Amino acid sequence: MSRVCELTGKRAMVGNNVSHAMNKTKRKFNANLVKKRFFIPEEDRWVTLKVSTSALKDINKKGISAVMKEAREKGFLKK
């Protein structure tokens, strides 16, 4: 599985490690992802999603069905 949030589309970014002597080497900034089960009352079923922690904050604020609807409109969620 790739390290991509299924609701927001967040993925790893590329940057540099910078030493004290200003030497630069490539590195990755991975998205902060967690695997989480959600209950969707409209469909009366459980869904397991790999989501970023910022998406979890959105789910707590707006609700899982509203966030999933937005993700389907943007094309991130295929389920």
Side-chain angles (χ1 to χ4, degrees):
M1 291 281 296
S2 58
R3 295 193 54 83
V4 179
C5 177
E6 295 180 23
L7 295 180
T8 60
K10 286 190 174 195
R11 56 181 60 234
M13 295 173 54
V14 177
N16 288 315
N17 275 331
V18 182
S19 70
H20 188 69
M22 296 300 286
N23 297 328
K24 294 171 181 71
T25 56
K26 285 293 184 183
R27 63 161 289 181
K28 272 174 105 172
F29 294 93
N30 285 320
N32 189 6
L33 299 179
V34 290
K35 203 170 193 179
K36 185 97 170 100
R37 285 178 72 219
F38 299 100
F39 182 74
I40 304 169
E42 291 84 15
E43 301 174 13
D44 195 41
R45 67 184 182 111
W46 287 90
V47 176
T48 302
L49 296 172
K50 189 185 278 191
V51 294
S52 62
T53 51
S54 62
L56 280 177
K57 289 176 73 174
D58 282 346
I59 292 168
N60 287 335
K61 186 176 180 181
K62 300 176 189 175
I64 182 65
S65 53
V67 175
M68 285 182 70
K69 183 181 174 190
E70 289 176 10
R72 281 194 187 101
E73 289 172 358
K74 292 180 182 175
F76 294 128
L77 193 63
K78 306 290 190 266
K79 296 178 185 177

